Amino acid sequence: MAQVLGELLRVHEDDEGRLELAFEAGRGELSLALDGTARLRLWQGEAPPMDLDTALGRTPFELAPARWRTESGRPALMYAGREGAARVEIAARPFALRVCDREGGTVAALGDFAFNEDGGVSATLRSRADEHFFGFGERGGGLDKRGEQIQLRNRDVLMPPRSDARYVSIPFFVGHSAGRAARGILVDAPGPCDFDVAASSDREVRMETRSGGLDLCVFAGPLPADVLDRFTRRAGRQALPPVWALGHHQSRWGYRSAKSVTSVARQLRERRIPTDAIHLDIDYMDGYRVFTWHPKRFPDPKGLMASLRQNGFRTVAIVDPGVKVDPEYPIYQDGRSRGVFCSEGSGREWIQRVWPGQAAMPDFNRPDVRTWWGQQHAGLLDAGVAGIWNDMNEPAGWRRDLRLGRAILPLQSQDATRVMQADPVEAERRGGELATRRQAIPLVSHESVRNLYGQQECRATRDELKRGHPQARPFVLTRSGTTGIQQLAAVWTGDNASRWSHLRESMPMLMGLSLSGVAFCGADIGGFGGHCSPELFARWMQIGALYPFARTHSVWYSRRQEPWRFGSRVESIAREALELRMRLLPYLAGLFRDAHETGAPVWRPLFFEFPETEGLAEVDDQVMIGSSLMAAPVVERGATRREVMLPPGLWWDVSSDACFRGPRRIEVEAPLERLPLFARGGSLVPMQSAVQHTGERPAEPFVLEVYPGADCETVLWDDAGDGTATPARTPLRLHDRAGGRLRLEIGRREGELGVDARPLRVVVHGAGRPDAVFSDGIALAEGDAVDEYRVVEGRVEIRLLDQGDARSLEIDPAP
Ligand code: MIG
């Protein structure tokens, strides 16, 4: 039975700017952050809701010195600072909140607070009938979640109905209606929670935690980008990937031996399919014992990885959390003697079935267990593994299974109701002492902190990869996670299938995940389960090569999915798609830098870039890659044309330089060879020539594509790729006076990293045959040499030597 909060009895302002609230049936705390974010916590009894900043090692809430005042008869908590401002009005009977921005506009109105039997809290957010909702982590279905009932509980699952729980739960959403201020809400819960997204009532979002009180934050806009900036400031920003991780990854469950890995690698190079990483799935282990190598099939891991590395490949190895129960297996013995595993209420080790048979599950909530787990990686890392792939960490598992050779059929899903784990906050507080005094750590039920499990494992992994190299940018890939996972790992969306609908669905799924803070995300290219057709593979690779994280992966009993398995036509299409990714590397690296610094995702829905424009919330088969490029892939079988929605402004078809003015819908031809890709008018896209992997020196290191149509500015980042030096930064600016002279300013390069002088080719699209081209005021001659220009198919190409000095270029159109 729901129990209302009852009347607000007392309000007490503490010395630091928090407001303590006492209700008939519980307690609360209201506070504001320096950026104007409002936070409400509610709980029953003594214990406040679990502090996830402490539990997950996040940056603490940046408390602002707010004041409790009454203005024009309304008591409110208020703060106004340089970075943000907010006023929160409180109504006492019944308790309700109104969060207002600096201008006094309502950001959020919240009410109907009630406790459930297990100490969870439900609340209602008022909504406009035309508000659209985005986020919630990794979800199926369309981009706009209005009308859905959503469960957030991490679990292993094959493409469930859209309302079902999936691997990654992020209880955050953005609310947006065209032309109005956007806002965001985070329900910062360690365990499962549920949302009714204007399904039962079109003017309300209902949210409920299942236990543990409520810890809710309201993030103001006005732009969707402002909401993401504030949200990721709270939850953590995208970690910068090592540059090699931005290349293509080739994976398959079924690369059974070192031989098969070597052969795939050799063919990738022979056939010139750009690839940076090869993944080793569970096949490399000995009887699926984590951190071991199969002695026959992988007899010389070090030699294997050295030869891969010599050919420009990094190796990523899978690590599952389940440790085989085997008295002969040193890792199990050691873990057992140190008591690192989760237990059932009775004190018995929590055993469940996964690949190795019976397995014990480490309790990653404890810092000593995370350190222990990290140390187990030594063998992999010494052998030359460059990145770690954390699978099965929801955690997945089953109670019984049927084993038929390589096939394992889970028969009965796990029931973790009696499992206990260390209280992550207490464990954190006790830190290093823990190993000796663990008996004293209070336990909580696994279910109440379930959504943290995979994230804590990634934390153990990342910390280990950074140990001794604080500047390093580790590569960790995870299947499960929750709020803030982007600080620790890239996310792939788990087991999809080789179906057109799953290709189509990957678009909104990745855009939704992106809006939940996870910029580095991707779906298995080609589909994991089932047999991929040549046409589906071609189409999947065209857009997959532009996923923020681009990995081809499949299951062992499906048709092989290396690009050459589908005939030479599809092989060429895949090669070209991956070459495009390599050519875009400077642009992509800049987008990751933006995500890291501002929270703006790499993959953005159209409304994110055009929040004033009506009708874009529904567009989820097109994507903005950064603010300059828009892809409209073909995701329908047999289609060779498609309709494209062009938002306002000029749009250049990248393949033909045809130029269109939006807003409008156009039909484009898209034969199998072609991905419809548009550049926004008024954009500068730094590119390079294609390489086979990111470690290869491109023939042309810097090609600046200029798409006229509006003024714009951007920054080119040069980066050692591994965090060893602060990057160099070259500001770029385009002045596009309609009809008049076009001016490009290349700023002076700044920063620590030395960049050698290099050729630069500036390509100005749609410039026709100009009257004159100037560099720093001096007219250039036509020709192919440095400091000359030529006209190629309606584009002006200028060759320069980039030595890091400021430069300006001007193009006078023909009269
Ligand atoms: O229960 O390691 O999602 O990518 O290939 C299956 C084998 C276990 C699930 C992952 C998939 C991986 C597979 N794993």
Side-chain angles (χ1 to χ4, degrees), residues 362-414:
D363 185 352
F364 298 114
N365 280 349
R366 288 165 36 191
D368 63 324
V369 176
R370 288 200 298 274
T371 305
W372 175 82
W373 184 254
Q375 286 161 353
Q376 309 309 314
H377 290 69
L380 296 182
L381 302 178
D382 292 346
V385 167
I388 299 292
W389 165 19
N390 284 158
D391 186 21
M392 306 288 282
N393 53 355
E394 298 72 25
W398 45 88
R399 293 240 133 198
R400 286 190 320 116
D401 60 34
L402 186 65
R403 288 169 187 247
L404 310 157
R406 293 187 68 197
I408 295 174
L409 291 180
L411 289 183
Q412 191 188 339
S413 63
Q414 62 164 326

Tab-separated table of all heavy atoms in Angstrom, residues 362-414:
chain	number	residue	atom	x	y	z
A	362	PRO	N	32.057	-12.279	-7.848
A	362	PRO	CA	32.757	-11.347	-6.969
A	362	PRO	C	31.846	-10.181	-6.555
A	362	PRO	O	30.990	-9.762	-7.331
A	362	PRO	CB	33.897	-10.815	-7.850
A	362	PRO	CG	34.032	-11.790	-8.963
A	362	PRO	CD	32.684	-12.401	-9.157
A	363	ASP	N	32.053	-9.707	-5.359
A	363	ASP	CA	31.274	-8.570	-4.869
A	363	ASP	C	32.043	-7.278	-5.153
A	363	ASP	O	32.829	-6.796	-4.340
A	363	ASP	CB	31.027	-8.720	-3.367
A	363	ASP	CG	30.119	-7.615	-2.851
A	363	ASP	OD1	29.826	-6.674	-3.634
A	363	ASP	OD2	29.700	-7.686	-1.685
A	364	PHE	N	31.776	-6.722	-6.342
A	364	PHE	CA	32.531	-5.546	-6.792
A	364	PHE	C	32.203	-4.279	-6.014
A	364	PHE	O	32.817	-3.243	-6.244
A	364	PHE	CB	32.285	-5.304	-8.282
A	364	PHE	CG	32.749	-6.422	-9.167
A	364	PHE	CD1	31.831	-7.182	-9.887
A	364	PHE	CD2	34.094	-6.714	-9.277
A	364	PHE	CE1	32.259	-8.214	-10.708
A	364	PHE	CE2	34.537	-7.744	-10.102
A	364	PHE	CZ	33.614	-8.495	-10.816
A	365	ASN	N	31.238	-4.350	-5.112
A	365	ASN	CA	30.966	-3.155	-4.306
A	365	ASN	C	32.104	-2.862	-3.337
A	365	ASN	O	32.209	-1.754	-2.837
A	365	ASN	CB	29.667	-3.333	-3.507
A	365	ASN	CG	28.452	-3.083	-4.376
A	365	ASN	OD1	28.563	-2.598	-5.495
A	365	ASN	ND2	27.276	-3.411	-3.849
A	366	ARG	N	32.937	-3.890	-3.062
A	366	ARG	CA	34.018	-3.688	-2.089
A	366	ARG	C	35.300	-3.264	-2.789
A	366	ARG	O	35.744	-3.922	-3.730
A	366	ARG	CB	34.265	-4.996	-1.321
A	366	ARG	CG	33.145	-5.305	-0.338
A	366	ARG	CD	33.189	-6.726	0.147
A	366	ARG	NE	34.543	-7.228	0.328
A	366	ARG	CZ	34.815	-8.515	0.548
A	366	ARG	NH1	33.839	-9.404	0.606
A	366	ARG	NH2	36.048	-8.910	0.701
A	367	PRO	N	35.926	-2.192	-2.310
A	367	PRO	CA	37.176	-1.737	-2.936
A	367	PRO	C	38.252	-2.819	-2.938
A	367	PRO	O	39.004	-2.923	-3.906
A	367	PRO	CB	37.619	-0.555	-2.077
A	367	PRO	CG	36.435	-0.138	-1.294
A	367	PRO	CD	35.503	-1.309	-1.211
A	368	ASP	N	38.330	-3.626	-1.885
A	368	ASP	CA	39.382	-4.659	-1.866
A	368	ASP	C	39.111	-5.732	-2.927
A	368	ASP	O	40.037	-6.257	-3.528
A	368	ASP	CB	39.516	-5.288	-0.472
A	368	ASP	CG	38.257	-6.027	-0.043
A	368	ASP	OD1	37.150	-5.556	-0.378
A	368	ASP	OD2	38.356	-7.071	0.612
A	369	VAL	N	37.828	-6.002	-3.165
A	369	VAL	CA	37.495	-6.984	-4.200
A	369	VAL	C	37.802	-6.404	-5.581
A	369	VAL	O	38.317	-7.101	-6.458
A	369	VAL	CB	36.019	-7.424	-4.095
A	369	VAL	CG1	35.654	-8.366	-5.226
A	369	VAL	CG2	35.756	-8.067	-2.743
A	370	ARG	N	37.552	-5.112	-5.738
A	370	ARG	CA	37.878	-4.497	-7.033
A	370	ARG	C	39.389	-4.554	-7.276
A	370	ARG	O	39.833	-4.842	-8.391
A	370	ARG	CB	37.370	-3.048	-7.090
A	370	ARG	CG	35.850	-2.943	-7.201
A	370	ARG	CD	35.408	-1.590	-7.728
A	370	ARG	NE	35.792	-0.504	-6.860
A	370	ARG	CZ	35.091	-0.083	-5.817
A	370	ARG	NH1	33.937	-0.663	-5.516
A	370	ARG	NH2	35.515	0.920	-5.088
A	371	THR	N	40.150	-4.281	-6.245
A	371	THR	CA	41.606	-4.345	-6.413
A	371	THR	C	42.034	-5.782	-6.744
A	371	THR	O	42.818	-6.014	-7.662
A	371	THR	CB	42.299	-3.898	-5.110
A	371	THR	OG1	41.798	-2.603	-4.790
A	371	THR	CG2	43.805	-3.824	-5.272
A	372	TRP	N	41.485	-6.719	-5.989
A	372	TRP	CA	41.793	-8.133	-6.224
A	372	TRP	C	41.469	-8.514	-7.665
A	372	TRP	O	42.265	-9.132	-8.366
A	372	TRP	CB	40.997	-8.990	-5.237
A	372	TRP	CG	41.136	-10.467	-5.438
A	372	TRP	CD1	42.149	-11.252	-4.989
A	372	TRP	CD2	40.239	-11.323	-6.168
A	372	TRP	NE1	41.944	-12.558	-5.388
A	372	TRP	CE2	40.775	-12.625	-6.117
A	372	TRP	CE3	39.039	-11.106	-6.848
A	372	TRP	CZ2	40.149	-13.715	-6.717
A	372	TRP	CZ3	38.412	-12.195	-7.451
A	372	TRP	CH2	38.962	-13.484	-7.379
A	373	TRP	N	40.297	-8.130	-8.114
A	373	TRP	CA	39.861	-8.439	-9.479
A	373	TRP	C	40.816	-7.797	-10.494
A	373	TRP	O	41.241	-8.434	-11.459
A	373	TRP	CB	38.435	-7.928	-9.674
A	373	TRP	CG	37.830	-8.268	-10.987
A	373	TRP	CD1	37.608	-7.429	-12.039
A	373	TRP	CD2	37.338	-9.546	-11.411
A	373	TRP	NE1	37.014	-8.101	-13.075
A	373	TRP	CE2	36.836	-9.410	-12.723
A	373	TRP	CE3	37.277	-10.812	-10.804
A	373	TRP	CZ2	36.279	-10.470	-13.441
A	373	TRP	CZ3	36.721	-11.863	-11.518
A	373	TRP	CH2	36.234	-11.690	-12.817
A	374	GLY	N	41.150	-6.548	-10.235
A	374	GLY	CA	42.076	-5.848	-11.125
A	374	GLY	C	43.380	-6.615	-11.267
A	374	GLY	O	43.884	-6.821	-12.374
A	375	GLN	N	43.892	-7.085	-10.142
A	375	GLN	CA	45.182	-7.802	-10.158
A	375	GLN	C	45.141	-9.069	-11.004
A	375	GLN	O	46.147	-9.468	-11.573
A	375	GLN	CB	45.599	-8.154	-8.723
A	375	GLN	CG	46.077	-6.931	-7.960
A	375	GLN	CD	46.055	-7.158	-6.452
A	375	GLN	OE1	45.570	-8.185	-5.972
A	375	GLN	NE2	46.581	-6.187	-5.699
A	376	GLN	N	43.968	-9.679	-11.075
A	376	GLN	CA	43.873	-10.924	-11.856
A	376	GLN	C	44.134	-10.684	-13.344
A	376	GLN	O	44.356	-11.627	-14.097
A	376	GLN	CB	42.498	-11.592	-11.684
A	376	GLN	CG	42.042	-11.798	-10.251
A	376	GLN	CD	43.085	-12.478	-9.395
A	376	GLN	OE1	43.689	-13.468	-9.808
A	376	GLN	NE2	43.339	-11.932	-8.219
A	377	HIS	N	44.080	-9.419	-13.774
A	377	HIS	CA	44.281	-9.110	-15.194
A	377	HIS	C	45.745	-9.167	-15.621
A	377	HIS	O	46.039	-9.068	-16.809
A	377	HIS	CB	43.735	-7.716	-15.535
A	377	HIS	CG	42.238	-7.607	-15.508
A	377	HIS	ND1	41.510	-7.690	-14.341
A	377	HIS	CD2	41.326	-7.419	-16.497
A	377	HIS	CE1	40.220	-7.563	-14.622
A	377	HIS	NE2	40.086	-7.394	-15.917
A	378	ALA	N	46.630	-9.288	-14.640
A	378	ALA	CA	48.057	-9.167	-14.955
A	378	ALA	C	48.474	-10.070	-16.119
A	378	ALA	O	49.167	-9.637	-17.046
A	378	ALA	CB	48.887	-9.473	-13.717
A	379	GLY	N	48.017	-11.328	-16.073
A	379	GLY	CA	48.417	-12.273	-17.114
A	379	GLY	C	47.963	-11.813	-18.498
A	379	GLY	O	48.719	-11.885	-19.472
A	380	LEU	N	46.738	-11.338	-18.584
A	380	LEU	CA	46.230	-10.868	-19.871
A	380	LEU	C	47.048	-9.670	-20.349
A	380	LEU	O	47.467	-9.599	-21.504
A	380	LEU	CB	44.756	-10.453	-19.752
A	380	LEU	CG	43.729	-11.535	-19.408
A	380	LEU	CD1	42.322	-10.946	-19.381
A	380	LEU	CD2	43.793	-12.667	-20.422
A	381	LEU	N	47.264	-8.732	-19.439
A	381	LEU	CA	47.930	-7.492	-19.837
A	381	LEU	C	49.386	-7.749	-20.204
A	381	LEU	O	49.888	-7.215	-21.191
A	381	LEU	CB	47.812	-6.443	-18.728
A	381	LEU	CG	46.361	-6.101	-18.327
A	381	LEU	CD1	46.339	-5.086	-17.194
A	381	LEU	CD2	45.555	-5.594	-19.516
A	382	ASP	N	50.045	-8.594	-19.411
A	382	ASP	CA	51.447	-8.912	-19.724
A	382	ASP	C	51.576	-9.572	-21.088
A	382	ASP	O	52.558	-9.370	-21.801
A	382	ASP	CB	52.052	-9.846	-18.664
A	382	ASP	CG	52.211	-9.139	-17.329
A	382	ASP	OD1	52.114	-7.883	-17.319
A	382	ASP	OD2	52.410	-9.837	-16.306
A	383	ALA	N	50.585	-10.359	-21.425
A	383	ALA	CA	50.652	-11.036	-22.723
A	383	ALA	C	50.390	-10.067	-23.872
A	383	ALA	O	50.627	-10.400	-25.029
A	383	ALA	CB	49.657	-12.191	-22.758
A	384	GLY	N	49.867	-8.889	-23.561
A	384	GLY	CA	49.695	-7.898	-24.624
A	384	GLY	C	48.260	-7.508	-24.934
A	384	GLY	O	48.001	-6.829	-25.919
A	385	VAL	N	47.310	-7.919	-24.071
A	385	VAL	CA	45.923	-7.495	-24.279
A	385	VAL	C	45.833	-5.980	-24.060
A	385	VAL	O	46.367	-5.452	-23.089
A	385	VAL	CB	44.984	-8.243	-23.296
A	385	VAL	CG1	43.610	-7.608	-23.255
A	385	VAL	CG2	44.884	-9.716	-23.681
A	386	ALA	N	45.172	-5.288	-25.001
A	386	ALA	CA	45.136	-3.823	-24.935
A	386	ALA	C	43.827	-3.286	-24.368
A	386	ALA	O	43.769	-2.156	-23.897
A	386	ALA	CB	45.360	-3.239	-26.324
A	387	GLY	N	42.775	-4.082	-24.421
A	387	GLY	CA	41.483	-3.608	-23.932
A	387	GLY	C	40.694	-4.766	-23.361
A	387	GLY	O	40.938	-5.936	-23.714
A	388	ILE	N	39.769	-4.453	-22.458
A	388	ILE	CA	39.006	-5.503	-21.778
A	388	ILE	C	37.527	-5.326	-22.085
A	388	ILE	O	36.982	-4.223	-22.019
A	388	ILE	CB	39.232	-5.446	-20.247
A	388	ILE	CG1	40.710	-5.653	-19.903
A	388	ILE	CG2	38.348	-6.465	-19.529
A	388	ILE	CD1	41.267	-7.047	-20.178
A	389	TRP	N	36.916	-6.453	-22.391
A	389	TRP	CA	35.500	-6.498	-22.769
A	389	TRP	C	34.752	-7.195	-21.631
A	389	TRP	O	34.934	-8.379	-21.414
A	389	TRP	CB	35.422	-7.226	-24.105
A	389	TRP	CG	34.085	-7.706	-24.560
A	389	TRP	CD1	32.852	-7.301	-24.156
A	389	TRP	CD2	33.868	-8.701	-25.578
A	389	TRP	NE1	31.878	-7.968	-24.850
A	389	TRP	CE2	32.464	-8.826	-25.725
A	389	TRP	CE3	34.703	-9.481	-26.379
A	389	TRP	CZ2	31.896	-9.708	-26.636
A	389	TRP	CZ3	34.132	-10.360	-27.288
A	389	TRP	CH2	32.736	-10.468	-27.414
A	390	ASN	N	33.951	-6.448	-20.904
A	390	ASN	CA	33.200	-6.987	-19.767
A	390	ASN	C	31.787	-7.379	-20.197
A	390	ASN	O	30.916	-6.531	-20.384
A	390	ASN	CB	33.123	-5.956	-18.620
A	390	ASN	CG	34.419	-5.837	-17.828
A	390	ASN	OD1	34.673	-4.833	-17.177
A	390	ASN	ND2	35.255	-6.854	-17.880
A	391	ASP	N	31.583	-8.669	-20.334
A	391	ASP	CA	30.287	-9.218	-20.743
A	391	ASP	C	29.600	-9.812	-19.505
A	391	ASP	O	30.221	-9.953	-18.451
A	391	ASP	CB	30.551	-10.307	-21.802
A	391	ASP	CG	29.281	-10.856	-22.422
A	391	ASP	OD1	28.244	-10.178	-22.368
A	391	ASP	OD2	29.340	-11.985	-22.973
A	392	MET	N	28.343	-10.168	-19.633
A	392	MET	CA	27.615	-10.968	-18.625
A	392	MET	C	27.510	-10.278	-17.256
A	392	MET	O	27.260	-10.929	-16.247
A	392	MET	CB	28.303	-12.332	-18.425
A	392	MET	CG	28.512	-13.144	-19.680
A	392	MET	SD	26.979	-13.831	-20.341
A	392	MET	CE	26.717	-15.235	-19.256
A	393	ASN	N	27.687	-8.970	-17.223
A	393	ASN	CA	27.839	-8.302	-15.930
A	393	ASN	C	26.586	-7.618	-15.419
A	393	ASN	O	26.669	-6.691	-14.612
A	393	ASN	CB	29.027	-7.333	-15.973
A	393	ASN	CG	28.955	-6.348	-17.137
A	393	ASN	OD1	28.069	-6.443	-17.969
A	393	ASN	ND2	29.867	-5.414	-17.185
A	394	GLU	N	25.416	-8.100	-15.843
A	394	GLU	CA	24.159	-7.533	-15.290
A	394	GLU	C	23.946	-7.914	-13.832
A	394	GLU	O	23.344	-7.108	-13.125
A	394	GLU	CB	22.970	-8.012	-16.133
A	394	GLU	CG	23.014	-7.556	-17.568
A	394	GLU	CD	24.077	-8.260	-18.408
A	394	GLU	OE1	24.453	-9.392	-18.056
A	394	GLU	OE2	24.528	-7.655	-19.374
A	395	PRO	N	24.336	-8.994	-13.260
A	395	PRO	CA	25.024	-10.098	-13.904
A	395	PRO	C	24.027	-11.077	-14.520
A	395	PRO	O	22.899	-11.215	-14.058
A	395	PRO	CB	25.759	-10.762	-12.736
A	395	PRO	CG	24.901	-10.486	-11.544
A	395	PRO	CD	24.239	-9.165	-11.794
A	396	ALA	N	24.498	-11.775	-15.584
A	396	ALA	CA	23.682	-12.795	-16.223
A	396	ALA	C	23.953	-14.127	-15.544
A	396	ALA	O	24.989	-14.302	-14.908
A	396	ALA	CB	24.034	-12.874	-17.699
A	397	GLY	N	23.050	-15.058	-15.691
A	397	GLY	CA	23.256	-16.378	-15.105
A	397	GLY	C	21.947	-17.119	-15.060
A	397	GLY	O	20.900	-16.554	-15.331
A	398	TRP	N	22.069	-18.377	-14.782
A	398	TRP	CA	20.874	-19.202	-14.723
A	398	TRP	C	21.070	-20.267	-13.649
A	398	TRP	O	22.179	-20.528	-13.208
A	398	TRP	CB	20.575	-19.790	-16.100
A	398	TRP	CG	21.774	-20.345	-16.810
A	398	TRP	CD1	22.271	-21.590	-16.712
A	398	TRP	CD2	22.653	-19.664	-17.729
A	398	TRP	NE1	23.381	-21.735	-17.490
A	398	TRP	CE2	23.644	-20.573	-18.123
A	398	TRP	CE3	22.693	-18.355	-18.251
A	398	TRP	CZ2	24.671	-20.239	-19.019
A	398	TRP	CZ3	23.708	-18.026	-19.141
A	398	TRP	CH2	24.677	-18.954	-19.519
A	399	ARG	N	19.983	-20.874	-13.256
A	399	ARG	CA	20.046	-21.879	-12.173
A	399	ARG	C	20.340	-23.271	-12.723
A	399	ARG	O	20.948	-24.077	-12.060
A	399	ARG	CB	18.729	-21.918	-11.405
A	399	ARG	CG	18.462	-20.649	-10.620
A	399	ARG	CD	18.331	-20.924	-9.143
A	399	ARG	NE	19.146	-19.958	-8.416
A	399	ARG	CZ	19.540	-20.105	-7.161
A	399	ARG	NH1	19.212	-21.186	-6.490
A	399	ARG	NH2	20.273	-19.197	-6.582
A	400	ARG	N	19.815	-23.566	-13.940
A	400	ARG	CA	20.042	-24.879	-14.539
A	400	ARG	C	20.270	-24.698	-16.023
A	400	ARG	O	19.779	-23.750	-16.618
A	400	ARG	CB	18.819	-25.785	-14.323
A	400	ARG	CG	18.724	-26.258	-12.894
A	400	ARG	CD	17.683	-27.351	-12.618
A	400	ARG	NE	16.423	-27.237	-13.297
A	400	ARG	CZ	16.002	-28.136	-14.193
A	400	ARG	NH1	16.737	-29.169	-14.526
A	400	ARG	NH2	14.818	-28.011	-14.761
A	401	ASP	N	21.002	-25.632	-16.623
A	401	ASP	CA	21.159	-25.567	-18.070
A	401	ASP	C	21.316	-26.958	-18.651
A	401	ASP	O	21.419	-27.950	-17.925
A	401	ASP	CB	22.324	-24.653	-18.472
A	401	ASP	CG	23.667	-25.119	-17.917
A	401	ASP	OD1	23.879	-26.340	-17.799
A	401	ASP	OD2	24.504	-24.255	-17.603
A	402	LEU	N	21.301	-27.018	-19.964
A	402	LEU	CA	21.479	-28.264	-20.699
A	402	LEU	C	22.688	-28.073	-21.595
A	402	LEU	O	22.739	-27.122	-22.364
A	402	LEU	CB	20.225	-28.505	-21.547
A	402	LEU	CG	20.159	-29.832	-22.290
A	402	LEU	CD1	20.092	-30.995	-21.313
A	402	LEU	CD2	18.926	-29.832	-23.197
A	403	ARG	N	23.684	-28.950	-21.478
A	403	ARG	CA	24.914	-28.805	-22.259
A	403	ARG	C	24.989	-29.832	-23.374
A	403	ARG	O	24.989	-31.026	-23.118
A	403	ARG	CB	26.128	-28.884	-21.338
A	403	ARG	CG	26.217	-27.624	-20.505
A	403	ARG	CD	27.171	-27.615	-19.377
A	403	ARG	NE	26.930	-26.363	-18.671
A	403	ARG	CZ	27.795	-25.360	-18.598
A	403	ARG	NH1	28.984	-25.461	-19.124
A	403	ARG	NH2	27.465	-24.234	-17.979
A	404	LEU	N	25.045	-29.361	-24.604
A	404	LEU	CA	25.125	-30.240	-25.770
A	404	LEU	C	26.331	-29.798	-26.587
A	404	LEU	O	26.213	-28.914	-27.428
A	404	LEU	CB	23.869	-30.094	-26.640
A	404	LEU	CG	22.518	-30.207	-25.934
A	404	LEU	CD1	21.426	-29.511	-26.722
A	404	LEU	CD2	22.169	-31.668	-25.741
A	405	GLY	N	27.468	-30.376	-26.292
A	405	GLY	CA	28.672	-29.939	-26.995
A	405	GLY	C	28.944	-28.476	-26.679
A	405	GLY	O	29.025	-28.089	-25.528
A	406	ARG	N	29.040	-27.634	-27.734
A	406	ARG	CA	29.313	-26.219	-27.512
A	406	ARG	C	28.058	-25.455	-27.120
A	406	ARG	O	28.133	-24.314	-26.680
A	406	ARG	CB	29.909	-25.583	-28.758
A	406	ARG	CG	31.282	-26.112	-29.088
A	406	ARG	CD	31.881	-25.307	-30.227
A	406	ARG	NE	32.176	-23.942	-29.812
A	406	ARG	CZ	32.402	-22.948	-30.651
A	406	ARG	NH1	32.335	-23.127	-31.944
A	406	ARG	NH2	32.689	-21.746	-30.195
A	407	ALA	N	26.910	-26.055	-27.351
A	407	ALA	CA	25.675	-25.323	-27.075
A	407	ALA	C	25.281	-25.481	-25.606
A	407	ALA	O	25.391	-26.564	-25.038
A	407	ALA	CB	24.561	-25.832	-27.967
A	408	ILE	N	24.864	-24.389	-25.024
A	408	ILE	CA	24.386	-24.441	-23.647
A	408	ILE	C	23.023	-23.769	-23.618
A	408	ILE	O	22.876	-22.627	-24.043
A	408	ILE	CB	25.368	-23.714	-22.704
A	408	ILE	CG1	26.719	-24.455	-22.688
A	408	ILE	CG2	24.795	-23.619	-21.293
A	408	ILE	CD1	27.805	-23.758	-21.918
A	409	LEU	N	22.031	-24.516	-23.173
A	409	LEU	CA	20.700	-23.940	-23.106
A	409	LEU	C	20.359	-23.621	-21.652
A	409	LEU	O	20.174	-24.521	-20.841
A	409	LEU	CB	19.654	-24.935	-23.617
A	409	LEU	CG	19.659	-25.263	-25.101
A	409	LEU	CD1	18.546	-26.262	-25.413
A	409	LEU	CD2	19.468	-23.987	-25.913
A	410	PRO	N	20.287	-22.359	-21.329
A	410	PRO	CA	19.857	-21.994	-19.963
A	410	PRO	C	18.419	-22.466	-19.766
A	410	PRO	O	17.579	-22.247	-20.626
A	410	PRO	CB	19.908	-20.464	-19.968
A	410	PRO	CG	20.732	-20.079	-21.162
A	410	PRO	CD	20.590	-21.189	-22.154
A	411	LEU	N	18.159	-23.143	-18.676
A	411	LEU	CA	16.819	-23.699	-18.491
A	411	LEU	C	15.982	-22.921	-17.490
A	411	LEU	O	14.784	-22.834	-17.602
A	411	LEU	CB	16.919	-25.157	-18.029
A	411	LEU	CG	17.393	-26.135	-19.104
A	411	LEU	CD1	17.384	-27.546	-18.555
A	411	LEU	CD2	16.522	-26.036	-20.349
A	412	GLN	N	16.645	-22.394	-16.518
A	412	GLN	CA	15.849	-21.727	-15.485
A	412	GLN	C	16.590	-20.460	-15.115
A	412	GLN	O	17.773	-20.505	-14.764
A	412	GLN	CB	15.760	-22.640	-14.267
A	412	GLN	CG	14.759	-22.190	-13.258
A	412	GLN	CD	14.865	-23.039	-12.000
A	412	GLN	OE1	15.380	-24.148	-12.000
A	412	GLN	NE2	14.393	-22.489	-10.907
A	413	SER	N	15.901	-19.341	-15.231
A	413	SER	CA	16.623	-18.094	-15.012
A	413	SER	C	16.946	-17.930	-13.527
A	413	SER	O	16.330	-18.531	-12.661
A	413	SER	CB	15.838	-16.907	-15.541
A	413	SER	OG	14.649	-16.826	-14.831
A	414	GLN	N	17.918	-17.154	-13.268
A	414	GLN	CA	18.403	-17.017	-11.906
A	414	GLN	C	17.389	-16.298	-11.026
A	414	GLN	O	16.572	-15.525	-11.483
A	414	GLN	CB	19.699	-16.218	-11.918
A	414	GLN	CG	19.473	-14.816	-12.464
A	414	GLN	CD	20.619	-13.908	-12.138
A	414	GLN	OE1	21.224	-14.022	-11.098
A	414	GLN	NE2	20.907	-13.003	-13.034
